Amino acid sequence: MLKFFSRLERTRNVVLIIFAILMAVSLVFFYAPNRNAAVADPARNAEVVAEVGNEDITVSKLALLKENYRQMFGGQFSMAQFGGDRRLLDGLIRQQVISQEAARLGLAASDAEVADQIRKTFRDPTTGNFVGFDRYRESVASRYGNVEDYERQVRDQIAAQKLEAFVTAGARVSEDEVREDFRRRNTVFDLVYVPVTAEKLAPKIEPSEADLRAYYDSRATDFRILEEQKKIRYVYIDQTKLGEKIEISDADLQAEYDQLSPENKQAGVRVQQIVLRIARPDLDEAVRTKAEELVQKARGDDGNASAEEFAELARGNSEDPATATNGGTISGVVRKNANKPDDPLQTTLTMTEGAISEPIKYGNAYYILRRGESVPKTFADARTELLVSLRNRRSYAVAAQLAARVAERLKETKDVSQVAAEFAAEASMNQAEMVRETPYVKPGDTVPEIGSSPQFEEAIKPLANANDVGERVSIKGGFAVPLLVDKKIRAFSISRKSEIKRWSACARSRPAQNLSKRRATSSTARARPQD
């Protein structure tokens, strides 16, 4: 065969060429370097695992994220602690959703913002300047694959911060709420105690007369009445029930309305606002500077701004989703509220129409406010308020007059129940409602149904003997006409066995209470906010 081919030189060359071509094709087909590369190298796999809008999340992006975590945590990295590939994929999907939503709302990061963030991140610690593009590119390439992907991540992070500030700008959290939440989350209670109460122990104790006398003699000062105590029975007149039957005409209300001062005839003022959220404490200065620039732009040459001009600025800059879309206009009107003196909106009540406030920091945001027109309070708007006010004044006067007559009658009869029965119909009450009685009280005590009332104390102070009647006195809800039933003077007394018995029970329970207190103190030492 070889001799045959050696004689056919041209045919031999053709056969060799064909054989070489076949070998080359077979090598390409069977040993191509890119064959199955997607399976061998996930970092270059362009297979799509999720679609978010018009953006694709590929296997390579997921692999790059896992590699970043490995570099960050080193040998301690474990996919189990991050919830596996599924949780990482959910994170990438969430980032894309946030980025697209920020772009839709016009909150996407600008090139200048991205460049500024990169300069802050890649800053030379010795000079404080940017490390240079070459070092920046090398560092990013080793950690994130390429510069384009990294800068896209930075852009998405800035957009996410803007979106968060936009969404949460309307939320206001006071210092008290923050402090209370911290205490609630960081306080641990672990109590061990044994309740021992004198009330439950006393019925089981049956001391003899000798025991009571001995106990009293050893603790006589405990039963001494140091201040005079009085028991009072009084006639009560309810001002509200008297007011319910008072007729008030529209003419009376109109006269009240006409007498109102101009400021009291205002329902409130319209207000527009621009809210700039402080996403992080280190951004406070930048947000304040931007707020000052917006104030200067809004004021223009004359220091004021029309509603339309301010609305245009609010739509483009305010981060309060509740008001930004409608030009910063706050729903309803702003009224004076004495319970919220630190509320920025209260400052607009002293501003002139069209005026623009300075940036006001409140909570985690800066507020720029524009005072709009005043909203008048019509007679129809003020009618309910006028009715309540006029009824209260007239019912007070009627109740005071009735109480004076009751006092005169009680001084004559010395009988609270009889006087109550005589005046019940006129007071729009029944006899049982009008007759009330206090326990023994002394100055400074909180009296049932009256509370702590210096006026009531002054009214009963002159009463020295049983059946003495005092003058009418204004108390909570109406008037009272007091009558002295009994009093305890400064003296020793053993007339109350139950009182001494209770003292005995308290004394016997005190060792157990001290033990309980020591145990509780030992345990509650840990019941404090943790550092």
Side-chain angles (χ1 to χ4, degrees):
M1 178 65 71
L2 293 175
K3 291 181 179 181
F4 175 75
F5 274 110
S6 63
R7 290 195 298 269
L8 301 175
E9 183 176 352
R10 181 177 297 177
T11 302
R12 180 190 61 192
N13 292 338
V14 171
V15 171
L16 291 176
I17 292 172
I18 293 173
F19 181 75
I21 292 173
L22 289 174
M23 290 292 294
V25 170
S26 64
L27 287 174
V28 170
F29 182 77
F30 290 104
Y31 300 101
N34 289 330
R35 184 176 179 86
N36 297 325
V39 177
D41 188 3
R44 298 182 180 180
N45 191 341
E47 181 181 355
V48 177
V49 294
E51 295 181 3
V52 182
N54 57 355
E55 294 289 337
D56 295 335
I57 298 178
T58 63
V59 174
S60 61
K61 291 183 179 180
L62 187 61
L64 184 60
L65 180 62
K66 292 164 64 175
E67 182 61 28
N68 289 340
Y69 278 121
R70 287 193 181 92
Q71 293 183 9
M72 185 183 305
F73 295 98
Q76 299 179 352
F77 176 78
S78 171
M79 280 304 302
Q81 69 187 97
F82 293 98
D85 290 348
R86 179 64 185 181
R87 187 167 181 180
L88 296 181
L89 178 59
D90 289 342
L92 291 174
I93 293 174
R94 183 166 50 254
Q95 291 177 8
Q96 285 297 328
V97 171
I98 293 174
S99 176
Q100 294 181 21
E101 181 64 13
R104 186 183 69 82
L105 295 173
L107 301 175
S110 64
D111 293 340
E113 291 174 323
V114 174
D116 182 63
Q117 182 63 34
I118 291 175
R119 291 191 188 97
K120 291 179 180 179
T121 305
F122 293 89
R123 182 182 298 172
D124 192 322
T126 58
T127 63
N129 299 325
F130 182 59
V131 297
F133 184 75
D134 291 337
R135 287 180 58 186
Y136 160 69
R137 182 173 57 187
E138 292 175 1
S139 177
V140 168
S142 63
R143 295 178 57 187
Y144 299 95
N146 56 69
V147 173
E148 291 76 12
D149 288 343
Y150 171 70
E151 292 183 352
R152 186 182 300 109
Q153 291 184 26
V154 174
R155 192 180 302 274
D156 290 345
Q157 291 173 0
I158 297 175
Q161 292 173 359
K162 288 185 173 182
L163 181 62
E164 180 184 2
F166 180 81
V167 171
T168 60
R172 298 179 181 177
V173 181
S174 66
E175 293 292 336
D176 292 338
E177 290 175 318
V178 174
R179 189 178 297 107
E180 181 61 28
D181 182 71
F182 176 82
R183 290 175 177 173
R184 181 177 60 83
R185 293 174 179 270
N186 296 276
T187 301
V188 178
F189 294 98
D190 183 13
L191 303 179
V192 178
Y193 64 94
V194 178
V196 180
T197 60
E199 288 79 5
K200 293 183 178 180
L201 188 61
K204 300 178 180 179
I205 299 175
E206 295 296 337
S208 64
E209 289 294 332
D211 292 335
L212 294 176
R213 172 61 65 176
Y215 185 83
Y216 173 79
D217 291 339
S218 63
R219 295 172 176 81
T221 56
D222 293 338
F223 299 96
R224 185 172 59 185
I225 301 173
L226 301 178
E227 293 187 75
E228 192 174 66
Q229 300 178 13
K230 297 179 180 181
K231 175 181 284 191
I232 302 296
R233 185 179 296 122
Y234 61 96
V235 180
Y236 173 65
I237 299 171
D238 192 327
Q239 177 183 334
T240 302
K241 291 190 175 183
L242 270 175
E244 290 174 353
K245 65 179 184 179
I246 296 176
E247 297 292 337
I248 299 177
S249 65
D250 284 344
D252 294 335
L253 295 176
Q254 183 66 55
E256 285 287 308
Y257 178 77
D258 294 338
Q259 294 175 7
L260 292 177
S261 61
E263 58 269 18
N264 289 332
K265 287 186 178 181
Q266 290 184 2
V269 298
R270 302 287 185 188
V271 176
Q272 292 171 277
Q273 68 176 6
I274 297 175
V275 181
L276 300 180
R277 175 79 171 179
I278 306 172
R280 301 193 311 271
D282 60 302
L283 298 177
D284 187 289
E285 183 66 22
V287 176
R288 185 181 62 81
T289 301
K290 181 179 179 180
E292 292 174 347
E293 294 173 352
L294 288 174
V295 169
Q296 295 301 322
K297 187 175 181 180
R299 287 177 175 174
D301 298 330
D302 59 355
N304 294 338
S306 66
E308 293 75 16
E309 292 170 342
F310 193 89
E312 188 65 26
L313 286 176
R315 292 189 187 97
N317 297 277
S318 182
E319 297 173 351
D320 179 17
T323 60
T325 55
N326 61 350
T329 302
I330 296 175
S331 60
V333 295
V334 176
R335 301 179 178 84
K336 186 175 182 180
N337 189 344
N339 296 324
K340 295 182 178 180
D342 59 338
D343 189 344
L345 297 177
Q346 295 292 303
T347 61
T348 59
L349 299 175
T350 58
M351 296 165 54
T352 59
E353 184 174 341
I356 309 296
S357 73
E358 293 291 337
I360 303 174
K361 185 177 180 182
Y362 185 71
N364 59 347
Y366 278 95
Y367 291 81
I368 305 170
L369 305 175
R370 177 188 178 274
R371 158 74 181 265
E373 71 278 4
S374 298
V375 178
K377 182 189 294 184
T378 65
F379 173 72
D381 296 333
R383 190 180 187 283
T384 302
E385 181 181 343
L386 292 172
L387 180 61
V388 172
S389 176
L390 187 56
R391 189 182 298 280
N392 283 339
R393 295 206 308 273
R394 291 189 177 181
S395 63
Y396 181 89
V398 172
Q401 294 174 2
L402 181 59
R405 292 164 51 203
V406 168
E408 293 299 324
R409 181 60 178 155
L410 186 58
K411 290 176 182 178
E412 297 174 1
T413 64
K414 308 294 184 179
D415 189 333
V416 173
S417 297
Q418 177 184 340
V419 173
E422 293 177 4
F423 288 92
E426 189 174 351
S428 298
M429 302 173 67
N430 59 51
Q431 180 181 353
E433 292 175 326
M434 295 182 68
V435 177
R436 293 183 177 180
E437 186 171 296
T438 71
Y440 284 93
V441 295
K442 62 181 182 298
D445 283 351
T446 299
V447 183
E449 300 182 294
I450 294 179
S452 179
S453 174
Q455 295 87 354
F456 186 76
E457 292 177 7
E458 286 297 319
I460 67 175
K461 186 176 180 180
L463 307 182
N465 302 309
N467 292 326
D468 282 354
V469 178
E471 300 298 330
R472 68 180 183 186
V473 58
S474 176
I475 62 172
K476 181 175 65 177
F479 284 85
V481 180
L483 178 143
L484 177 62
V485 176
D486 188 23
K487 69 176 181 179
K488 294 180 181 179
I489 60 175
R490 298 177 178 86
F492 291 97
S493 173
I494 59 170
S495 60
R496 292 177 175 267
K497 286 187 178 181
S498 59
E499 186 175 353
I500 300 177
K501 186 176 179 181
R502 173 178 168 77
W503 276 89
S504 178
C506 289
R508 297 190 184 189
S509 64
R510 191 168 294 119
Q513 289 175 334
N514 292 338
L515 175 60
S516 172
K517 183 177 180 181
R518 287 197 298 271
R519 290 181 177 177
T521 303
S522 175
S523 298
T524 55
R526 300 190 301 275
R528 64 187 67 180
Q530 298 175 347
D531 294 333

